[in-house]
Amino acid sequence: CAESASADNLTISEIYYNPKGSDSAEFIELVNRGDRTIDLTGVRLAEGVEFTFGRMALKPGEVVLVVEDSEAYPNHASVAGSWKGRLANSGETIQVLSANGDAILSLSYGDAEDWPEEADGNGASLERVNLDGDPKDASSWRASANEGGTPGSLPTAGALMPFVQWQDMHFT
């Protein structure tokens, strides 16, 4: 029997808010960080983008994507669907609400101050450094090592961007 989604077991693990090229590749990745299967039925993304999950369960460690345009991810089995609205390239607040409307998570990402600049139109996504860290704190996030992020899978712990890729991002 699946337990209800809550702040203890569901969090955002990756945000691709300003892709290089087209916004159609934007996504938000959520992960079950608990040790039991959770029920996502009726869980909603609110503010900036709007999406409500249909009947769906998420196993421990499993991820799910909500995307700008599902046609940008035709072969990803982990895509739950496309949202309404759009993610602001300059940053904004994203809320995850339970089926009964309780706040599971509210976070505001940005493109200034301590937020990784590589994720602001330079090809990288924002990846959580530590799923137990404070998602509201910019130091809990890093730029993805892979251009386009790692949609549908959690990043490798400590993954570093290859020097050639870093050089291309900063000097071309």
Side-chain angles (χ1 to χ4, degrees), residues 26-151:
E26 290 181 350
F27 67 82
I28 297 172
E29 180 183 79
L30 296 99
V31 62
N32 176 352
R33 65 181 180 158
D35 57 6
R36 297 186 56 205
T37 298
I38 58 175
D39 183 7
L40 292 181
T41 306
V43 169
R44 296 186 305 122
L45 294 179
E47 288 198 40
V49 297
E50 300 285 332
F51 180 81
T52 302
F53 285 90
R55 181 173 292 280
M56 179 176 203
L58 202 59
K59 295 175 184 169
E62 191 174 22
V63 299
V64 63
L65 297 173
V66 182
V67 301
E68 166 83 19
D69 181 0
S70 57
E71 291 182 19
Y73 295 95
N75 299 319
H76 278 273
S78 56
V79 173
S82 300
W83 61 58
K84 292 181 178 136
R86 61 181 299 272
L87 292 175
N89 292 344
S90 60
E92 71 182 302
T93 299
I94 300 170
Q95 286 189 331
V96 181
L97 303 174
S98 69
N100 63 8
D102 293 337
I104 291 175
L105 173 66
S106 179
L107 70 87
S108 297
Y109 66 89
D111 68 350
E113 298 171 13
D114 296 332
W115 290 92
E117 66 182 55
E118 298 86 1
D120 187 22
N122 295 310
S125 67
L126 290 175
E127 295 178 333
R128 285 282 289 279
V129 174
N130 176 351
L131 295 178
D132 294 322
D134 182 359
K136 299 173 190 169
D137 184 350
S139 68
S140 293
W141 298 85
R142 68 176 178 204
S144 63
N146 298 334
E147 187 166 317
T150 56

Side-chain angles (χ1 to χ4, degrees), residues 145-146 160-167:
N146 298 334
L160 296 176
M161 181 181 300
F163 176 74
V164 172
Q165 185 179 355
W166 176 87
Q167 191 175 29

